[in-house]
Amino acid sequence: MILPERIKPALLPLAALLIFEIWMRLADVQSDSLAPPSAIALALAGALTDGSLLAATRDTLAAAFAGLALGGAIGLVLGIALGLSHVFDRLMEVTIEAIRPIPSVALLPIALIALGFGYRMEIAIVSFACVWPVLIMTRAAVGGIEPRLIEVARVLRLSQLDRVRKIVIPAALPRIFLAFRLAAGIALIVAVTVEIAINPLGLGAGIMTAQQALRPDLMLAYLVWIGVTGFALNAALMAAQKTLFGRAAAIGDQA
Amino acid sequence: MAEPALALVQSSPSPARAQIAFDNVALMLGGKAIINTISLDVAAGEILCVVGASGCGKTTALRLAAGLYQPTGGSVRFEGEAMRAPRREIAVVFQDYGKALLPWRTAAGNISLALETIGMPSAQREARITELLAKVGLAGHAAKYPTEMSGGMQQRLQIARCLAQDPKVLLMDEPFGALDAMTRQGLQDEMLALVASTGATVVFVTHDLEEAIYLGDRVIGLLPHPGRVGLELKIDLPRPRDQLATREHPEFLRLRRALFDFIKASE
């Protein structure tokens, strides 16, 4: 039997799932942490139909995107400024390197006191985590712009604002978008982490509730769903990157 | 500060005639003398070619004329005024057209960049862009991106972008150096025709000695380490120049020999 090429990569995971299912049933495993794939699928379908999973997804994505927008904007502006000005870059170097290594989740206690439970605290933590990848990659993208383009801007006598608007940002845009794509992944991870740790909303809270209710099937269904959400988010952003910057990305690769 | 200014005026031989004047220009970069010293006048409408062994500061001299560098000694003046920054009247054509064009803008968009900067209203831009593209032989390529064009076409586009600012002076840094021989000859003739029609002054840096003689009214040979003028040749060849007849002219051959000897001795 000849299998289409596209199916081949799926064979191994499918076989693993099947073996796991058979083993769970034959051995009659009773567990608070494991459930047979069929039970997980049923729990997933149930949570999808009663709307609880979609509501949790909406909450998590809202916090993640709001944090990404806020942190990304801060990172973008700072990254452009640092990439353009060596003086500013040197001035900020110690400050940035001192703050950047702080794990965003370590800010939870402070954020909780300052902002309480809810979206605001979660958004603050997510945005802190998103500032850095965008800042560092934007700084590198702006600093790495073809020097000849800057000279062209000078001999054409572009104003400082036009230089940034018409040369710097378009030239750095493919890499800035890449930074946002990576930051989006981080935003989702951090949002779910905050929810698991403390914040009573979204997918992370859902997974914790299922665990405490001794529902391993539902807990794992949430886990699978978080994976699907992350995958879909990245795929959507990849597709957007390809349509928006197909040409520019190809040029960026050459350089 | 008044004294050196006075000295400069005195040492300038013909300030009225010179459009670009280098007055005892010196440039130190990182403690190293790159140029020491160059005095040079370029008349309006003149085509001045600059040659020299590598490291002689040809490109640096061009950047000084463009206002991209400031001299550490002496002065560079345009129409009697000290060059402090790039000016609209002076356009620069870079050798590496692939890097000097904006890859995310079409041919029309690249020309538009210069028009936007000189403040032309958007309603007038399109007609001007069409005119400029036609002038450099790129009519019908307005919607193409630079990467979709050949090297010769990209360099034509860069020249069109320079013409968009209506320059009095074109500073060209080995503009045809990266092109194949046939394309280069075609562009040489197109450039001469364009310059003849606009009356622009040209300072043309090249490492191709025959190109220098073929194009120039005058050829300057620079000596390296540090860069300074070592030779000046007046080119009295009839115009319009012709790729075959001019290059076979006895005077062309004499100048060619003189220039080759100079470069050989300078190395």
Side-chain angles (χ1 to χ4, degrees):
Chain A
M1 193 173 74
I2 297 161
L3 287 166
E5 278 301 314
R6 300 180 46 184
I7 295 180
K8 273 187 190 165
L11 281 181
L12 199 63
L14 280 175
L17 280 176
L18 195 66
I19 291 167
F20 189 52
E21 176 85 31
I22 293 167
W23 172 70
M24 287 288 289
R25 296 207 177 269
L26 286 181
D28 198 20
V29 177
Q30 296 297 318
S31 168
D32 292 338
S33 56
L34 291 177
S38 58
I40 298 170
L42 273 178
L44 184 61
L48 275 173
T49 39
D50 74 11
S52 59
L53 193 55
L54 291 178
T57 309
R58 183 201 60 211
D59 291 348
T60 297
L61 287 182
F65 280 128
L68 174 65
L70 188 62
I74 294 168
L76 183 66
V77 172
L78 275 176
I80 290 175
L82 293 172
L84 286 177
S85 160
H86 282 288
V87 178
F88 190 40
D89 194 23
R90 295 289 291 172
L91 279 176
M92 294 292 286
E93 197 180 323
V94 172
T95 315
I96 285 175
E97 290 312 315
I99 301 175
R100 189 166 69 99
I102 299 174
S104 52
V105 182
L107 295 177
L108 261 177
I110 305 172
L112 197 60
I113 292 173
L115 302 165
F117 293 104
Y119 283 112
R120 285 203 307 162
M121 177 265 284
E122 189 170 328
I123 289 168
I125 305 244
V126 171
S127 52
F128 177 83
C130 289
V131 165
W132 311 112
V134 174
L135 185 154
I136 304 252
M137 289 182 72
T138 303
R139 180 176 65 184
V142 170
I145 287 174
E146 173 56 49
R148 182 69 77 227
L149 283 178
I150 305 294
E151 276 191 340
V152 167
R154 283 185 67 199
V155 294
L156 289 178
R157 298 177 316 123
L158 265 67
S159 66
Q160 201 65 40
L161 178 68
D162 274 355
R163 236 182 258 190
V164 173
R165 237 166 30 120
K166 294 179 179 172
I167 306 280
V168 172
I169 291 183
L173 203 54
R175 289 171 74 188
I176 291 174
F177 190 88
L178 176 66
F180 270 85
R181 184 161 71 77
L182 296 176
I186 293 171
L188 186 64
I189 292 169
V190 172
V192 172
T193 308
V194 170
E195 290 160 2
I196 287 177
I198 209 158
N199 210 20
L201 59 82
L203 294 167
I207 208 170
M208 287 311 282
T209 311
Q211 182 226 28
Q212 276 149 19
L214 303 180
R215 289 271 318 271
D217 55 338
L218 186 60
M219 182 180 78
L220 292 171
Y222 266 95
L223 196 61
V224 170
W225 182 253
I226 290 169
V228 169
T229 310
F231 179 82
L233 183 63
N234 190 45
L237 289 171
M238 285 268 271
Q241 185 178 355
K242 234 178 161 175
T243 9
L244 289 173
F245 305 116
R247 175 188 310 282
I251 289 157
D253 287 344
Q254 283 169 14
Chain B
M1 287 312 285
E3 245 178 5
L6 193 67
L8 290 180
V9 173
Q10 282 170 348
S11 69
S12 168
S14 50
R17 208 181 64 100
Q19 188 169 39
I20 302 170
F22 276 56
D23 241 320
N24 295 309
V25 168
L27 182 73
M28 306 269 290
L29 280 180
K32 205 174 154 227
I34 308 295
I35 286 177
N36 193 26
T37 59
I38 295 181
S39 289
L40 183 66
D41 283 349
V42 188
E46 184 182 14
I47 301 179
L48 174 73
C49 293
V50 181
V51 299
S54 46
C56 70
K58 319 186 273 277
T59 295
T60 310
L62 202 74
R63 283 156 175 275
L64 284 161
L68 286 169
Y69 287 160
Q70 288 299 313
T72 45
S75 73
V76 178
R77 276 172 294 128
F78 174 77
E79 293 182 345
E81 221 177 290
M83 283 291 291
R84 299 250 173 266
R87 313 174 54 114
R88 178 185 165 173
E89 296 96 327
I90 302 179
V92 183
V93 180
F94 294 100
Q95 173 182 9
D96 40 9
Y97 40 79
K99 292 177 177 170
L101 295 168
L102 314 189
W104 59 88
R105 285 196 182 212
T106 59
N110 267 283
I111 297 177
S112 177
L113 181 71
L115 298 176
E116 291 158 25
T117 312
I118 62 173
M120 179 180 278
S122 54
Q124 298 168 24
R125 276 182 224 148
E126 202 184 318
R128 179 84 175 119
I129 289 168
T130 311
E131 180 195 327
L132 285 163
L133 283 171
K135 217 176 202 172
V136 296
L138 288 178
H141 297 288
K144 281 202 176 137
Y145 286 91
T147 44
E148 296 169 329
M149 303 173 127
S150 68
M153 289 165 80
Q154 290 185 42
Q155 194 55 293
R156 286 197 180 103
L157 177 57
Q158 202 196 164
I159 291 169
R161 186 172 70 190
C162 286
L163 296 176
Q165 66 189 84
D166 255 330
K168 288 185 184 169
V169 177
L170 277 171
L171 302 176
M172 308 181 92
D173 186 9
E174 301 192 28
F176 310 142
L179 301 169
D180 64 85
M182 287 305 290
T183 310
R184 191 183 317 159
Q185 293 198 348
L187 276 174
Q188 286 167 354
D189 292 334
E190 283 175 37
M191 189 207 85
L192 286 179
L194 266 178
V195 168
S197 73
T198 59
T201 311
V202 175
V203 179
F204 192 103
V205 167
T206 178
H207 59 256
D208 180 342
L209 305 182
E210 296 191 22
E211 181 173 66
I213 301 165
Y214 182 76
L215 296 174
D217 295 317
R218 192 153 56 110
V219 175
I220 296 282
L222 296 185
L223 290 168
H225 312 299
R228 60 208 188 275
V229 178
L231 176 79
E232 185 176 336
L233 288 175
K234 187 106 186 65
I235 312 293
D236 276 320
L237 288 164
R239 288 189 187 270
R241 306 255 162 105
D242 179 271
Q243 289 291 350
L244 291 176
T246 303
R247 286 172 193 269
E248 286 165 357
H249 200 288
E251 175 67 1
F252 184 93
L253 299 176
R254 188 188 71 77
L255 291 162
R256 180 170 172 269
R257 165 55 65 100
L259 209 48
F260 269 87
D261 285 346
F262 165 76
I263 293 292
K264 198 144 198 200
S266 78
E267 276 172 349

